[in-house]
Amino acid sequence: MEFKKNDILTIDIEDMGHDGEGIGKADGYTLFVKDTVIGDRAEVKIMKAKKNYGYARLLKVLRPSPDRTEPRCPIARACGGCQLQFLSYEKQLEFKKKKVLGNLQRIGGFADIQAERVLGMEDPWRYRNKAQFPVGRNKEGEIVTGFYAGRTHSIVPNRDCLLGVKVNEEILNRILAYMETCHAEPYDEKTGIGLVRHILLRYGFKTGEIMVCLIINGTRIPAQDSLVEALKDIPGMTSISLNVNTKRNNVILGEKVIPLWGKEYITDYIGSIQYQISPLSFYQVNPVQTEKLYGTALEYAGLTGKETVWDLYCGIGTISLFLAQKAKQVYGVEIVPPAIEDARRNAKLNGITNAEFFVGKAEEVLPEKYEKEGIYADVIVVDPPRKGCDEAVLDTMLKMKPEKIVYVSCDSATLARDLKVLCQEEYRLEKVAVCDMFPQGVHVETVCLLSNRKSKPDTHVDLTLDMEDYYRIKDQEGRLLQDKRSGETVK
């Protein structure tokens, strides 16, 4: 039977895809349906029909799955941020574990690998210490802020995201009131006209410190003292600033920060390590799970105080400083100069003297330090962006032959691709831990321990992949993805 756009069908959802969409079949024809879960019987409408598969919109749940939950958020279907809010949290963890292991098996060739642990949250709500809200006008001409609808840049109004901290709502109310009163015009992406593009909020979970940063299409705002007066009396308010972005692109933050009031940063802790966080800093958004993630990475590294450790893609030194507590020497590498400045400042802040940081591409700094200066590694920890490791980084790690490699990944497909290269001859995949850094969403963090094969007999599955094949893998999950909510690149 041939199916076409606007056909209405009844299907049973039998599986879920990588982006959290339900998968069902009608007479052998596969349909992907957002907002459905395994076990649902649903009435759906085909929105796009391909030859062998199509995409459909949920019209009605005829028989709910026993794993279906009523979403807490009233705009869960419209907003692009929470793809799994219809699924019980226990089943969300199962979905993410299956996603990681499926990629390791299918892309990496690791036939019998299991997850040693799955790290979930006791309370998977209001965990984000950072939120970025686009600003615009609705059809009635009112200034609104919220999040982008899935795969669009249409703002779904929302000032109280249930993943963010409660104080965000009060801050947004005051900022939008200031904009109305002082005629600070929201930015229009279509015309490139307007001033206020996004509102960036950060919150220190252990310190209670708050940062507000307005991303603007200019270098100043009208009546900036009025904005400061509106915000500074909120308990915990520590930093108010502007970020200048006059470019017409989807990148949220510009390079220049203009302080308006208070400090230029807030502070927070992961474990006993204190960090200073600026508007431009990369800092994990879920501090509760970050402590579990980094604790697992430290455990896998098995440091005794005698090791030289390299931390690649180190950001502001979050993992580096965690590792420095147990290592002889840590070297961190990051391409973003302000992040390295933060890392050095954070090391000094914590009295850590055995961590040194380099600015540059990991694929350039690591080979140079190894080949020209003879700096080796007992352990390498790598935490790359979503696109995974550069070929030169993998090649140099294989040449350096550290005893252990700890790979922290935010994309299990590129993780699997990279592990296939590393485990071709030199390394064995020993342990896998799945960490749910993003409850209600589809993204998941993974920590893997690789051990040099020289230490134990080789019992690993035979893998074959040459470096030319490496970049031919174009799996959907292996591409550099864009955050569907904000349009920024997700690390």
Side-chain angles (χ1 to χ4, degrees), residues 159 165-177 199-203 210-214 227 230-231 234-235 237:
R159 302 186 193 182
V165 293
K166 183 63 180 174
V167 71
N168 286 351
E169 183 178 17
E170 176 65 19
I171 296 170
L172 293 174
N173 288 340
R174 296 191 186 197
I175 293 175
L176 267 61
I199 300 167
L200 166 64
L201 306 180
R202 289 185 183 268
Y203 180 80
I210 298 170
M211 170 184 289
V212 174
C213 181
L214 267 60
L227 176 66
L231 297 174
I234 295 176
M237 188 59 64

Side-chain angles (χ1 to χ4, degrees), residues 374-491:
I375 297 178
Y376 67 96
D378 298 299
V379 178
I380 292 178
V381 177
V382 57
D383 184 10
R386 195 163 291 280
K387 65 181 180 180
C389 290
D390 187 273
E391 179 182 345
V393 171
L394 297 177
D395 188 49
T396 303
M397 286 197 289
L398 291 171
K399 288 179 181 177
M400 293 177 75
K401 295 181 174 59
E403 183 179 341
K404 296 176 182 178
I405 296 173
V406 179
Y407 195 133
V408 181
S409 170
C410 58
D411 186 282
S412 57
T414 55
L415 165 71
R417 180 199 66 191
D418 291 351
L419 293 191
K420 189 168 187 177
V421 175
L422 294 170
C423 294
Q424 194 171 348
E425 293 180 1
E426 294 290 340
Y427 289 90
R428 176 178 52 254
L429 178 56
E430 294 275 7
K431 294 181 180 180
V432 177
V434 176
C435 183
D436 187 19
M437 194 73 77
F438 311 100
Q440 318 309 326
V442 295
H443 294 301
V444 59
E445 296 272 338
T446 310
V447 188
C448 293
L449 170 63
L450 308 183
S451 295
N452 198 304
R453 289 177 186 269
K454 66 182 181 183
S455 60
K456 293 181 182 179
D458 184 4
T459 58
H460 194 270
V461 63
D462 180 49
L463 301 174
T464 57
L465 179 76
D466 60 40
M467 298 308 288
E468 186 176 347
D469 288 333
Y470 174 82
Y471 279 110
R472 290 192 187 134
I473 297 175
K474 295 296 183 182
D475 184 87
Q476 178 185 0
E477 293 295 305
R479 296 197 301 264
L480 178 62
L481 302 180
Q482 295 290 319
D483 183 282
K484 294 174 184 175
R485 178 186 297 185
S486 68
E488 72 170 343
T489 299
V490 180
K491 186 177 181 298

Side-chain angles (χ1 to χ4, degrees), residues 128-158:
R128 289 186 65 96
N129 57 23
K130 175 187 175 184
Q132 295 174 140
F133 297 86
V135 184
R137 288 192 183 274
N138 62 16
K139 294 179 181 179
E140 289 72 38
E142 301 167 323
I143 298 177
V144 295
T145 189
F147 298 108
Y148 291 132
R151 302 179 186 275
T152 77
H153 270 214
S154 299
I155 297 174
V156 178
N158 182 13

Side-chain angles (χ1 to χ4, degrees), residues 42-72:
E43 183 179 75
V44 303
K45 182 179 181 179
I46 297 179
M47 307 305 294
K48 183 184 292 186
K50 303 281 188 178
K51 183 178 180 181
N52 297 315
Y53 66 94
Y55 298 91
R57 180 166 63 89
L58 173 65
L59 297 180
K60 186 189 303 182
V61 177
L62 302 175
R63 186 191 65 207
S65 164
D67 300 320
R68 171 174 280 275
T69 60
E70 188 65 27
R72 292 192 190 183

